[in-house]
Amino acid sequence: MGYMNENGTTINNKPQGDYQSYGEYVTISKDNYSIWQNFNWKKKHDSADYYGQTLEARGYYDHFNGSRFLSLYDNTGTWVGYINESGTNLSDTGKGGNYQSYNKFVTVSVDNYDIWQDFNFSRSRNHSSNYYGQTLEARGYYNHFNGSRYLSLYDNGGTWVGYMNENGTKIGNGEQGSYQGYGEKVLINKDNYSIWQNFNWKKKHDSADYYRQTLEARGYYNHFNGSRFLSLYNDDGSWIGYINENATELSND
């Protein structure tokens, strides 16, 4: 490499070199790395135990082998161990961690959560009461250092809603969102609607088959497309299918 004045160096008989302060947050991005107890390579954990989590890298060592090893702590202040930094991604949101793709549909299930603009939590962008019961698209999420997962939510117009703690949502099996109990009697008042077998839009019946009949809507789905679909049963308890509630009215019977 060349000659250097020794005044610009620190003598160290350890191959890991000197500890250097860092103070950054990283997301564990590999599940096949070891997390070390010491630099004699005694294993403390597997990275799979923390995969996707955001941890605090308080410092690092630039090892003689050419790798940088981060000294990691969890959100309780417990030391996790040393990991090669190539098994991590540096957070671009601080404690928020890194964006991870999700592409799920969730139904907002609480009415008392803030929906955040950023991970400083200084400004609310929306409130869950404005979306209670609605199905939104969670395109991605962040595993925050505080231990919570925050979903990045979009409405069906493609407008970003904000970041919301996933504990205030329920994951749906698709764009229909999650099932919600109802227990109402409804009258079929349109004869030109389809009654669906599933939300891949396989037809089960025509509404004309049940026109002017009263059926039990045991539950419903608030679909991402903006429509509510009722899950209908007849008096014998047989399932009829899903129908857009616009083809019904609440029965007085």
Side-chain angles (χ1 to χ4, degrees):
M1 294 180 66
Y3 302 112
M4 181 176 180
N5 190 310
E6 72 171 351
N7 292 335
T9 68
T10 300
I11 296 174
N12 194 311
N13 59 4
K14 298 176 182 178
Q16 69 267 27
D18 288 326
Y19 176 87
Q20 301 182 61
S21 184
Y22 198 36
E24 297 285 353
Y25 294 89
V26 298
T27 301
I28 305 300
S29 58
K30 300 288 195 305
D31 61 2
N32 59 344
Y33 276 52
S34 295
I35 300 176
W36 304 105
Q37 172 75 33
N38 53 42
F39 290 107
N40 294 320
W41 312 120
K42 179 181 178 181
K43 185 186 287 188
K44 184 173 172 67
H45 298 290
D46 292 301
S47 64
D49 301 334
Y50 294 90
Y51 181 70
Q53 292 187 37
T54 299
L55 299 172
E56 183 183 8
R58 294 187 182 176
Y60 64 84
Y61 295 85
D62 283 333
H63 199 282
F64 183 67
N65 66 15
S67 296
R68 174 171 289 182
F69 289 87
L70 306 179
S71 183
L72 300 178
Y73 290 78
D74 67 18
N75 63 3
T76 68
T78 300
W79 184 58
V80 174
Y82 304 119
I83 190 172
N84 190 313
E85 75 167 352
S86 61
T88 70
N89 286 330
L90 184 64
S91 171
D92 54 8
T93 65
K95 292 183 179 182
N98 285 293
Y99 178 87
Q100 301 182 60
S101 184
Y102 200 38
N103 298 317
K104 300 282 188 183
F105 293 89
V106 299
T107 301
V108 177
S109 57
V110 299
D111 62 3
N112 60 344
Y113 275 41
D114 285 304
I115 301 176
W116 300 102
Q117 173 72 28
D118 54 43
F119 292 116
N120 293 322
F121 301 124
S122 58
R123 185 160 71 91
S124 177
R125 180 180 174 88
N126 273 303
H127 198 268
S128 65
S129 59
N130 297 324
Y131 295 91
Y132 181 69
Q134 291 187 39
T135 297
L136 300 171
E137 183 182 9
R139 294 186 183 176
Y141 63 84
Y142 295 81
N143 285 334
H144 197 282
F145 183 64
N146 66 16
S148 296
R149 174 173 289 181
Y150 291 87
L151 306 179
S152 184
L153 299 177
Y154 291 77
D155 67 19
N156 63 5
T159 300
W160 184 56
V161 174
Y163 302 120
M164 182 175 174
N165 190 313
E166 73 166 354
N167 291 338
T169 69
K170 291 182 179 178
I171 298 175
N173 289 326
E175 294 188 18
Q176 69 269 27
S178 66
Y179 177 86
Q180 301 181 60
Y182 197 37
E184 296 286 350
K185 297 285 189 178
V186 296
L187 178 71
I188 306 299
N189 63 4
K190 299 287 194 306
D191 62 3
N192 59 344
Y193 276 60
S194 295
I195 300 176
W196 304 104
Q197 171 75 32
N198 53 43
F199 290 106
N200 293 320
W201 312 120
K202 179 181 178 181
K203 186 186 287 189
K204 184 173 172 68
H205 299 289
D206 292 301
S207 64
D209 301 335
Y210 295 90
Y211 183 62
R212 305 308 299 174
Q213 290 188 38
T214 298
L215 300 171
E216 182 185 7
R218 293 187 182 176
Y220 62 83
Y221 295 84
N222 284 335
H223 198 282
F224 185 63
N225 66 16
S227 296
R228 174 173 290 182
F229 289 87
L230 307 179
S231 184
L232 300 178
Y233 291 77
N234 65 17
D235 289 339
D236 296 331
S238 297
W239 184 59
I240 303 299
Y242 304 118
I243 192 170
N244 190 312
E245 74 166 352
N246 291 339
T248 71
E249 61 186 67
L250 287 175
S251 173
N252 294 322
D253 294 343

